[in-house]
Amino acid sequence: MLDVIRLGFSEPLPEGDRHEEFDLPPGPVDFRSAWDIQRRLHAEVVAGTRPDTLLLLEHQAVYTAGKLTADHERPRDGAEVIDIDRGGKITWHGPQQLVGYPIVKLPIPIDVVGFVRALEHTLIGVCGQMGVDTLPIEGRSGVWVAPEGEEARKVCAIGMRVSKRATMHGFALNCANDLSWAENVIPCGIDDAGVTSLSREAGRRIAVADVIDEAEEAMTELVAHRTSAAVV
């Protein structure tokens, strides 16, 4: 069983969301508020008092930096950065980017790399449903658009952490969000590739609302598969 919690979005979803349940205002979610909620839910999943959980949301515009972020990769204009305990380097979150935080207890033996690779494969499938061909790139996390003869462009960032067998953090899929943020930093520490969005690649607007149902369904299948291994 996976409890999927839709928290807050820049454009109302037809079926609504659960921001009031978590004492949040409507609209994209402040990163620190979402982080507090994520840590609380993680503790409950670890304790066995709640099922595996997936948070789906949009954030208010913010830069976040993983543990490997170097000083020269940070914003050139001195913009605020929130340092967090995930892997990876600096990235951005903001309206019309679908963020997913799977809080999932992994079976023993724990295979973090396998979970991340499976997450990449799942999101590649979601992008394909939107008409955008993507692929993984060896040695680089996330999901990429990489036509032959062109510069590779990241459409989805992934940064995970596992604590007490349960995952934290997750993915950020660019749907119809602003991409100018990448000009102010070295996104994900990669200076020889670009960033893109589903909308830019498809040549039409693909909003979070157009993607979220497919993402929820695909993530539910992923979690069911990755947690079905027998504990030994």
Side-chain angles (χ1 to χ4, degrees), residues 97-112:
Q97 179 193 72
L98 177 61
V99 174
Y101 296 130
I103 305 169
V104 176
K105 188 175 287 187
L106 299 179
I108 298 172
I110 295 174
D111 182 6
V112 179

Side-chain angles (χ1 to χ4, degrees), residues 79-115:
E80 181 187 14
V81 178
I82 300 176
D83 290 277
I84 56 176
D85 59 353
R86 60 163 168 80
K89 296 198 173 191
I90 195 163
T91 192
W92 174 93
H93 301 303
Q96 284 303 315
Q97 179 193 72
L98 177 61
V99 174
Y101 296 130
I103 305 169
V104 176
K105 188 175 287 187
L106 299 179
I108 298 172
I110 295 174
D111 182 6
V112 179
V113 173
F115 186 87

Side-chain angles (χ1 to χ4, degrees), residues 3-7 18 22 41 50 53-57:
D3 182 17
V4 179
I5 300 173
R6 300 183 178 194
L7 270 188
R18 294 165 63 179
F22 292 87
L41 297 180
R50 80 159 20 252
T53 300
L54 172 65
L55 294 176
L56 292 174
L57 55 96

Side-chain angles (χ1 to χ4, degrees), residues 38-209:
Q38 185 182 174
R39 286 181 288 189
R40 185 170 80 240
L41 297 180
H42 180 272
E44 294 172 2
V45 170
V46 168
T49 57
R50 80 159 20 252
D52 291 333
T53 300
L54 172 65
L55 294 176
L56 292 174
L57 55 96
E58 294 175 35
H59 278 303
Q60 298 172 14
V62 65
Y63 288 103
T64 70
K67 294 179 287 186
L68 300 178
T69 303
D71 287 344
H72 73 277
E73 296 164 348
R74 293 172 178 267
R76 299 178 181 92
D77 65 356
E80 181 187 14
V81 178
I82 300 176
D83 290 277
I84 56 176
D85 59 353
R86 60 163 168 80
K89 296 198 173 191
I90 195 163
T91 192
W92 174 93
H93 301 303
Q96 284 303 315
Q97 179 193 72
L98 177 61
V99 174
Y101 296 130
I103 305 169
V104 176
K105 188 175 287 187
L106 299 179
I108 298 172
I110 295 174
D111 182 6
V112 179
V113 173
F115 186 87
V116 172
R117 296 290 87 81
L119 179 57
E120 288 175 346
H121 180 77
T122 294
L123 293 166
I124 286 169
V126 172
C127 293
Q129 288 180 285
M130 298 297 107
V132 177
D133 292 331
T134 57
L135 74 168
I137 292 181
E138 186 174 356
R140 293 182 169 179
S141 67
V143 176
W144 296 79
V145 176
E148 187 174 354
E150 297 183 19
E151 179 186 64
R153 306 179 288 275
K154 181 180 279 191
V155 70
C156 183
I158 294 176
M160 301 291 300
R161 178 181 180 226
V162 175
S163 175
K164 300 179 181 178
R165 281 184 52 197
T167 60
M168 297 183 73
H169 304 295
F171 68 86
L173 176 60
N174 294 333
C175 296
N177 53 284
D178 175 36
L179 295 174
S180 64
W181 64 269
E183 300 171 3
N184 193 34
V185 296
I186 299 179
C188 302
I190 297 171
D191 58 7
D192 61 348
V195 296
T196 190
S197 66
L198 293 176
S199 295
R200 175 173 288 184
E201 296 301 324
R204 59 184 174 86
R205 188 172 190 267
I206 300 178
V208 164

Side-chain angles (χ1 to χ4, degrees), residues 203-217:
R204 59 184 174 86
R205 188 172 190 267
I206 300 178
V208 164
D210 300 319
V211 179
I212 192 167
D213 288 344
E214 286 77 6
E216 177 176 331
E217 181 179 355

